[in-house]
Amino acid sequence: MKVAEESRRAAPEVSLLALRERSEFNEAYSDSIGIRLKIPFSSGALVRRESSAAQAEADQSDAEMQRLESRVELDAMRARQDLQAAERQYALAEQRRTLSSDSLRLAEKSFALGEADLATLLRIRAAADAADTFLGRQQIARAEAISRLNQTLGVLP
């Protein structure tokens, strides 16, 4: 746009013409040389048109930039919310694993003392294994949410 505003008129032109012709086949050639110099004094309409086109292109680029910035901000907000949800799920999974491991330890003591049967011990052991598996899945989900947020923010690994 600055170039369109700075160039107030068109550039001057210099042309050189060399012409060799003859009117009939048996006549001699006629050689001529010409020079043309074109100096534009005013081209206000052309400047206004170029300036308007440059301004329209700049406005369009600004609108596109604002649209992309708002999209990136929205994506970053979603990624942060996903990360917060993943963090909450991970904390709950850790609590579940802690409780299930405590429960398993008590069930094993109870089984060793003869107060609980094998079926109860196996059921509690399966629940503890499920809690460990769930914790692993939540670790992966949390790492995925962190990765997605970093990618949205443009952080390089």
Side-chain angles (χ1 to χ4, degrees), residues 122-134:
L122 293 177
R123 185 172 30 86
I124 293 174
R125 192 172 280 166
D129 289 341
D132 286 339
T133 303
F134 184 69

Side-chain angles (χ1 to χ4, degrees), residues 14-138:
V14 176
S15 302
L16 179 64
L17 172 73
L19 185 65
R20 183 172 192 174
E21 65 181 0
R22 63 181 172 183
S23 55
E24 300 218 4
F25 182 70
N26 57 359
E27 289 186 13
Y29 283 100
S30 169
D31 296 329
S32 58
I33 296 177
I35 296 177
R36 183 174 80 173
L37 179 61
K38 184 177 177 183
I39 301 174
F41 291 111
S42 175
S43 55
L46 178 65
V47 169
R48 283 191 298 273
R49 185 178 66 215
E50 288 176 357
S51 179
S52 297
Q55 183 65 41
E57 188 176 332
D59 291 344
Q60 184 179 7
S61 297
D62 288 343
E64 179 73 14
M65 181 68 149
Q66 288 175 351
R67 187 182 67 80
L68 290 175
E69 284 176 349
S70 66
R71 181 177 168 206
V72 167
E73 287 175 18
L74 182 63
D75 288 346
M77 185 177 67
R78 283 185 194 147
R80 283 187 187 99
Q81 288 174 348
D82 290 346
L83 179 59
Q84 288 174 352
E87 291 283 349
R88 285 191 303 269
Q89 289 291 328
Y90 181 71
L92 292 174
E94 279 185 326
Q95 287 177 353
R96 178 179 169 192
R97 190 191 77 177
T98 302
L99 293 174
S100 66
S101 65
D102 288 345
S103 179
L104 178 62
R105 187 173 36 81
L106 291 174
E108 285 174 345
K109 249 187 214 182
S110 176
F111 180 75
L113 295 174
E115 294 178 1
D117 59 351
L118 182 61
T120 303
L121 177 65
L122 293 177
R123 185 172 30 86
I124 293 174
R125 192 172 280 166
D129 289 341
D132 286 339
T133 303
F134 184 69
L135 180 65
R137 284 191 198 127
Q138 292 308 312

